[in-house]
Amino acid sequence: MAAGDMASTRLGAGRQHLRPLKRRGLVLLRLTAIVFAVLLFCEFLIYYLVIFRCSWPAVKTPADAGGLGTPEPVLRVMFLADSHLLGAVRGHWLDKLRREWQMERAFQTALWLLQPEVVFILGDIFDEGKWSSSQVSLGPNPPSSLRECDPAGAAGPHPGGTHSVLDVSAEPVLRTCPDLRASSLSLGSVRGRQAWADDVGRFWKIFRHPPHVQLRAVAGNHDIGFHYQMNTYKIKRFEKVFNPERLFSWKGINFCVPGTQSPADCTGGPWLISCPCLSFVMVNSVALEGDGCDICSGAEAELLEISHRLNCSREQEHRPQECGDGQRLPASAPILLQHFPLYRRNDANCSGEDAAPPDEKYTPFKERYDVLSQEASRKLLWWLRPRLVLSGHTHSACEVLHGAGVLEVSVPSFSWRNRNNPSFIMGSITPTEYALAKCYLPCEDTVLTTYCTAAGGLVLLTLVHAGLVASPFHFGWNMLRKFKTT
């Protein structure tokens, strides 16, 4: 009997010893499940829950008004702007990882749920395109051999502010040191072609899309630099990535809505693909400085050519002799896409939750820096006579009426680095009508609040398990019993 009692005592002690281990394992399992659930919600599911509420706007067609004939086909277009993918100069790896994951999840979720046919990005795709691919960091104390390569002061301030950067594509530098651009200098940070290739590779990873979805982009000041930083090399480099047909000179893009034209009906020129459907004129607004530089003169000449062809397309019955018998464009007014907004004094008349903050609304805009000049804006409206204008650059939303009631929509930034509540524009477009709607992305405040709440819950659960804090459930039950007894 004594031996049996000892065995049962040992068995009971062993079970008592296992109970704390089981409780710890159960608590650890709960903590892991909570962490996994919060990460799944904040980094994946929230994009579906938010974007699922967006829907394509309904556009009126002649059939809707009781007219005769077949309904006009509707093209579904997404417009987004200012993704500002960070580069190697200013981009911290953690910041890049976070922002690019957010944009990737938002874009891929929107593609899957909304299924647009065309996506337009209205400039400033990259944050450091104006610096990358042709610059060498001189460091705080550059050697005399490099200083001799900069007789005209081509070196500019590094964006970090600690040293200067030499643009090895600048004409004075190439004239003084023609072999510098091809040399393999190792002087701190070399911004070579690999940096641009890395930025482009990350872009296509984030904004990957199926073959049936067309993606087009216009250049912004962060892609090719402001007017006095812009050069032919940067423009060609941008065009090579985003359009083999030379985006800069290919100003007119006309998309055939599926089902209206066969591929054989679509013909193309050196800078224009045309079908009798919809017209989108894409403008390099950085080149509209109006100072007569070679790039600016070329851009205006191309816009005048497009203006001439658009005007000829409007004369369907009495076609002027100077129009000739060349390829005709759609008779409908085009949609103008560019990075810089048309001229406006400020954002004082802009409203909405994603408009500029109150302390910035009344700040005057600087022509050729914040907005196009008044002269360039008048030229675009007069030459192209668009029915709708979409732009980016300001990172905030705004709607402005120009001239004879032409609506301009400034598209907010698509990056959480620039806004707490990014968004994009959804457009349902026909040859004669259009309808726009805004689709908001998850607010970063919501995600941070969720994380903080979950972290507080995990800390409380851990303290309760350690016995340092009474369980809130037991505390509430005891209080309820005391209330009943009284």
Side-chain angles (χ1 to χ4, degrees):
M1 292 293 294
D5 292 340
M6 291 180 62
S8 60
T9 302
R10 290 176 181 175
L11 183 60
R15 289 177 177 175
Q16 291 179 359
H17 180 69
L18 289 176
R19 286 176 182 173
L21 294 179
K22 289 183 178 180
R23 289 184 60 190
R24 291 176 186 173
L26 186 60
V27 170
L28 183 60
L29 184 62
R30 289 176 179 174
L31 295 178
T32 304
I34 293 174
V35 171
F36 178 77
V38 172
L39 287 174
L40 181 65
F41 174 78
C42 291
E43 304 301 332
F44 193 79
L45 295 180
I46 191 172
Y47 297 97
Y48 288 89
L49 296 175
V50 174
I51 298 178
F52 182 76
R53 298 179 298 178
C54 301
S55 60
W56 292 100
V59 59
K60 293 182 179 180
T61 63
D64 297 332
L68 301 177
T70 58
E72 287 184 316
V74 179
L75 182 69
R76 293 180 170 181
V77 187
M78 275 177 56
F79 300 97
L80 54 97
D82 298 277
S83 55
H84 283 274
L85 297 187
L86 295 173
V89 177
R90 297 198 305 186
H92 188 273
W93 69 269
L94 184 59
D95 195 10
K96 286 200 290 187
L97 179 67
R98 176 64 182 159
R99 303 311 178 189
E100 291 176 10
W101 169 259
Q102 290 174 316
M103 287 189 284
E104 180 178 356
R105 290 313 325 145
F107 184 75
Q108 296 303 322
T109 304
L111 279 186
W112 189 79
L113 290 177
L114 303 175
Q115 299 184 358
E117 296 167 90
V118 185
V119 178
F120 286 109
I121 304 181
L122 305 180
D124 277 3
I125 297 169
F126 306 104
D127 192 62
E128 301 175 12
K130 57 184 179 181
W131 297 315
S132 64
S133 86
S134 61
Q135 297 181 338
V136 174
S137 173
L138 301 182
N141 298 306
S144 58
S145 59
L146 271 186
R147 286 197 297 267
E148 293 172 357
C149 292
D150 187 27
H158 187 281
T162 57
H163 49 280
S164 57
V165 171
L166 179 64
D167 187 349
V168 297
S169 67
E171 184 177 353
V173 177
L174 291 176
R175 188 167 54 246
T176 308
C177 301
D179 297 329
L180 177 60
R181 187 169 170 183
S183 64
S184 56
L185 298 174
S186 177
L187 298 171
S189 170
V190 178
R191 299 286 295 145
R193 293 180 180 176
Q194 185 60 37
W196 171 256
D198 177 67
D199 293 346
V200 171
R202 287 173 17 243
F203 169 83
W204 288 120
K205 176 180 179 295
I206 295 169
F207 295 97
R208 62 187 182 275
H209 54 279
H212 65 272
V213 176
Q214 300 192 54
L215 188 146
R216 295 287 185 263
V218 298
N221 56 288
H222 276 265
D223 300 316
I224 59 176
F226 279 102
H227 175 258
Y228 294 104
Q229 296 172 307
M230 174 183 61
N231 55 42
T232 304
Y233 170 77
K234 294 177 183 177
I235 294 172
K236 299 297 183 185
R237 177 190 67 184
F238 186 88
E239 295 168 6
K240 184 178 180 180
V241 171
F242 292 101
N243 256 314
E245 298 85 356
R246 299 184 55 177
L247 175 63
F248 176 72
S249 58
W250 185 30
K251 289 293 188 299
I253 300 179
N254 298 290
F255 292 105
C256 281
V257 180
T260 61
Q261 296 288 332
S262 64
D265 296 327
C266 300
T267 58
W271 43 265
L272 184 63
I273 296 176
S274 181
C275 291
C277 302
L278 303 173
S279 297
F280 297 86
V281 180
M282 302 173 67
V283 174
N284 177 8
S285 53
V286 183
L288 300 181
E289 186 78 6
D291 63 348
C293 72
D294 292 340
I295 296 176
C296 300
S297 299
E300 290 198 4
E302 289 168 355
L303 287 173
L304 283 171
E305 174 64 20
I306 294 177
S307 173
H308 173 71
R309 299 188 63 180
L310 287 171
N311 290 333
C312 288
S313 69
R314 294 183 176 105
E315 302 292 340
Q316 297 293 333
E317 297 181 358
H318 306 286
R319 190 173 175 86
Q321 184 176 1
E322 60 268 18
C323 291
D325 297 325
Q327 177 188 1
R328 297 191 181 188
L329 302 182
S332 61
I335 294 174
L336 177 59
L337 307 176
Q338 58 189 33
H339 179 64
F340 285 139
L342 297 176
Y343 175 79
R344 61 177 184 259
R345 295 179 59 185
N346 50 37
D347 275 350
N349 296 323
C350 305
S351 59
E353 58 183 288
D354 54 353
D359 58 332
E360 298 179 8
K361 279 190 173 184
Y362 297 93
T363 303
F365 282 148
K366 182 180 178 182
E367 294 185 45
R368 302 178 178 88
Y369 187 85
D370 300 309
V371 293
L372 289 178
S373 66
Q374 297 185 56
E375 179 185 3
S377 301
R378 283 195 296 265
K379 285 181 178 179
L380 286 175
L381 294 174
W382 175 251
W383 289 346
L384 304 175
R385 287 188 278 174
R387 54 175 167 152
L388 175 66
V389 181
L390 291 111
S391 59
H393 189 58
T394 63
H395 299 174
S396 300
C398 190
E399 294 186 3
V400 183
L401 287 177
H402 297 280
V406 178
L407 174 65
E408 178 184 7
V409 177
S410 290
V411 182
S413 174
F414 192 71
S415 173
W416 280 261
R417 196 168 187 261
N418 299 323
R419 298 198 58 83
N420 176 54
N421 57 340
S423 62
F424 59 88
I425 300 295
M426 304 164 59
S428 300
I429 304 173
T430 71
T432 56
E433 300 288 342
Y434 66 85
L436 303 178
K438 187 174 295 180
C439 183
Y440 287 97
L441 302 177
C443 289
E444 190 153 45
D445 285 349
T446 303
V447 175
L448 294 178
T449 301
T450 304
Y451 275 129
C452 291
T453 303
L458 291 175
V459 171
L460 180 61
L461 186 61
T462 303
L463 293 177
V464 169
H465 172 70
L468 300 178
V469 175
S471 172
F473 301 104
H474 293 164
F475 178 77
W477 176 252
N478 293 333
M479 292 294 295
L480 183 62
R481 290 179 60 186
K482 290 181 179 180
F483 177 76
K484 288 182 177 180
T485 55
T486 56

